[in-house]
Amino acid sequence: MRYSGAVPRRRLGMRGPVVPMAGLGSWNTWDRMEFGAAVELIGAAVRHGVSLFDVAHYNAGPHAEDATTDVIFGKAVREAGIAREEYTLCGKLWLWDYPASSFAAQIETSLERIGTDRADLVVVGDFLGELDLRSVLTDVSELVRAGRFAAWGVNNWAARDLGRACALAAAEGFTPPSFAQLKYSLARRSVPEGLPYGRLLSQAGLGLQASDVFEGGILAGRLHPRRKIGADPGGIRERIRASFPLVMRAAERFGATPAQLAVAFCFTHPAVATVLFGASGVRQLEENLGALTLLERHGPELREAVADLWLDRDVVNPEASWGTA
């Protein structure tokens, strides 16, 4: 199944920018391929309208590995001849060492490593434990006023904490968050689809950015990925791996690939504006974009087809930040 034409765009929440429905993530994306392949992939992505790139400096908390994926991205985008105004850059600000590691210092380092003077969006994460929300909102708002980025969202925040941030921003005139970036897939639905986040997304007009939609590649058919992959809230990864034959059968029913089904499913959530995924080359990117054709042809049927694949139902707490118990 193929998709022709430019990728459509959606508004990222009521107050966020208009963004492509598909975006490329950065965690171990650009540093696990040949540089020439990265240049080719970035150029092809922008030509297809996949012009949102989620790029971060991974050197804090559990990501204290000083990865070079962001540096490689910056070099590759310049080599591809892509002007800054041709793509949307979504960066990250980490809370692991905040406020000792200030947002101003983090964004300065991140942008310098990429080789640009501004991002378009940033994601503030990960929120585990107590936090001075007023300080977070103050620092984020100051960076917005300074032109370092125009909008922001959160990653791995509990719904109650995001709700508090929205209320405080409205009461005191801070720049409010406009979206949440959450783990969301055929198998992991309890947080994005649970009542706490569902109510918040609707009432606060927040957009949803779906991430980790392939479960590190497992839901796309790479059952035993060798690279580092995301956390396993609820400890259900082995069940996800064992469920892959069901994913295959559901995809075959629609004449699609498992990866296409995984991406298309996420778009059936009414708040999803962008689905982030990784790709190892142009062919895989174009194959994944077939999800948009699948969505056009069979959107209303997809949820019923994968109803039995909701594997974190009653396993994780839909209120929690990581979907933990």
Side-chain angles (χ1 to χ4, degrees):
M1 188 172 292
R2 313 296 290 180
Y3 183 78
S4 59
V7 169
R9 299 167 73 87
R10 290 180 174 178
R11 186 166 296 281
L12 186 56
M14 187 172 63
R15 292 175 295 271
V18 175
V19 295
M21 288 175 60
L24 288 179
S26 74
W27 194 31
N28 298 130
T29 294
W30 310 110
D31 55 359
R32 69 172 191 261
M33 65 177 71
E34 295 291 332
F35 182 72
V39 173
E40 184 182 17
L41 176 57
I42 287 170
V46 172
R47 288 194 299 274
H48 284 290
V50 184
S51 55
L52 185 149
F53 298 96
D54 182 82
V55 182
H57 180 205
Y58 293 98
N59 197 31
H63 307 305
E65 55 204 41
D66 199 20
T68 59
T69 190
D70 53 336
V71 175
I72 295 169
F73 169 80
K75 293 178 179 177
V77 79
R78 289 189 292 276
E79 181 67 21
I82 306 300
R84 180 62 187 84
E85 60 271 16
E86 293 183 82
Y87 69 95
T88 298
L89 176 62
C90 182
K92 281 194 168 67
L93 297 173
W94 301 108
L95 292 168
W96 299 105
D97 301 319
Y98 176 84
S101 177
S102 71
F103 289 162
Q106 288 187 48
I107 196 69
E108 181 70 25
T109 297
S110 181
L111 295 177
E112 181 179 328
R113 286 168 63 89
I114 295 168
T116 185
D117 62 351
R118 62 179 175 85
D120 298 287
L121 315 167
V122 298
V123 177
V124 179
D126 297 310
F127 189 167
L128 303 175
E130 296 299 318
L131 189 67
D132 183 346
L133 279 176
R134 180 172 280 100
S135 292
V136 169
L137 289 167
T138 297
D139 291 348
V140 166
S141 297
E142 288 178 354
L143 291 171
V144 170
R145 285 193 294 271
R148 300 305 254 171
F149 49 85
W152 69 287
V154 306
N155 173 260
N156 297 327
W157 287 35
R160 65 175 179 273
D161 296 318
L162 179 53
R164 288 170 52 216
C166 291
L168 185 59
E172 302 194 15
F174 295 116
T175 302
S178 58
F179 67 98
Q181 184 186 96
L182 299 175
K183 289 172 74 81
Y184 187 35
S185 72
L186 297 167
R188 299 188 190 273
R189 312 181 196 175
S190 292
V191 174
E193 296 188 8
L195 183 60
Y197 252 103
R199 182 186 295 121
L200 178 61
L201 292 170
S202 175
Q203 292 179 351
L206 298 173
L208 183 57
Q209 207 178 59
S211 68
D212 204 12
V213 300
F214 295 148
E215 189 71 21
I218 294 170
L219 290 172
R222 294 177 290 281
L223 300 186
H224 299 280
R226 296 179 180 178
R227 65 182 180 86
K228 181 180 178 181
I229 63 177
D232 181 14
I236 63 169
R237 184 157 291 145
E238 286 305 314
R239 290 176 58 195
I240 294 174
R241 188 175 284 115
S243 75
F244 184 71
L246 298 178
V247 179
M248 278 286 296
R249 285 197 288 273
E252 289 170 353
R253 168 181 164 184
F254 298 113
T257 67
Q260 290 168 347
L261 178 63
V263 173
F265 165 80
C266 293
F267 285 124
T268 65
H269 191 303
V272 167
T274 297
V275 173
L276 298 173
F277 55 78
S280 60
V282 175
R283 180 177 177 179
Q284 190 176 84
L285 167 71
E286 293 176 343
E287 182 178 289
N288 290 349
L289 292 180
L292 296 170
T293 299
L294 175 60
L295 182 69
E296 290 174 352
R297 295 177 180 175
H298 301 288
E301 307 166 59
L302 296 180
R303 284 192 165 264
E304 181 181 355
V306 298
D308 293 338
L309 289 166
W310 184 347
L311 300 182
D312 70 345
R313 188 200 301 266
D314 302 323
V315 174
V316 300
N317 176 6
E319 164 61 31
S321 55
W322 287 74
T324 49

